[in-house]
Amino acid sequence: MKNLVLVGFMGSGKSAVGRRVAGKLRMRFLDMDAEIEQREGRKISDIFAHEGEPHFRRIERRVTQELAEREGLVIATGGGVVLDPRNVEDFRRKGVIIALGVGADSVLARVGQSAKRPLLQVQNKHEEVKKLLAYRDPLYRAAGPCVETDGKTIEEVAETVIALYQNHL
Ligand code: S3P
């Protein structure tokens, strides 16, 4: 079984949808952020605060290389995984990448208050989300077919993701 790899911005629903999809397909679910926290023995926000984003990206790169070699996983990636094109190439080799699309308003409504997103601990969250999204949205959409999530339930998104995955096997 090929891996099913979900990419998308913070708050696009990668973890919630991934978990639902994995349950329906009876595949194993793996959350990359949780995997990194477990391996490093601390929170992502701690890693950003003490070692900085470049260090986090190196860990993310290493974990990507490992996970991309495995099979049969539903993987919820971190929102920045597409910043390194090598990550996308690696995941594509043995997997199907599906992007989850989200607008700035939904991002803010879903994760705007969360302390778990170091990149959103800024004064003007709306501007920051718009700026990051403008840069990243094309990268998510270039990585694989995109499922829009604004105004949809987890169940609706999960069903569409499953249909796309099965079409791309
Ligand atoms: C990041 C997204 C986060 C996490 C880290 C960096 C990003 O994951 O990997 O805070 O660069 O967009 P989620 O997309 O699961 O929030």
Side-chain angles (χ1 to χ4, degrees), residues 7-34:
V7 301
F9 201 73
M10 292 172 268
S12 59
K14 302 177 296 283
S15 303
V17 170
R19 211 168 266 121
R20 181 75 61 101
V21 165
K24 286 173 175 279
L25 294 178
R26 295 177 189 277
M27 289 166 73
R28 180 159 172 224
F29 173 70
L30 204 142
D31 188 300
M32 269 184 80
D33 287 343

Side-chain angles (χ1 to χ4, degrees), residues 73-146:
L73 299 174
V74 175
I75 302 171
T77 61
V81 89
V82 296
L83 295 172
D84 187 335
R86 295 173 302 175
N87 291 338
V88 177
E89 273 169 41
D90 287 347
F91 275 136
R92 193 174 280 139
R93 213 169 299 122
K94 286 191 181 179
V96 176
I97 303 177
I98 296 172
L100 299 185
V102 66
D105 291 341
S106 301
V107 171
L108 290 164
R110 293 176 191 170
V111 300
Q113 301 311 314
S114 162
K116 291 189 197 153
R117 267 78 177 191
L119 293 179
L120 298 186
Q121 308 312 305
V122 295
Q123 202 76 47
N124 192 336
K125 291 189 205 290
H126 197 259
E127 275 311 305
E128 190 64 18
V129 167
K130 277 206 311 204
K131 188 185 83 190
L132 290 172
L133 255 183
Y135 182 77
R136 291 178 177 191
D137 204 50
L139 300 178
Y140 299 130
R141 287 167 198 273
C146 182

Side-chain angles (χ1 to χ4, degrees), residues 1-5 22 27-30 66-76 96 165:
M1 271 303 241
K2 285 187 175 184
N3 289 331
L4 191 168
V5 182
M27 289 166 73
R28 180 159 172 224
F29 173 70
L30 204 142
E66 277 180 43
L67 296 182
E69 287 306 313
R70 292 170 57 180
E71 286 180 356
L73 299 174
V74 175
I75 302 171
V96 176
Y165 173 67

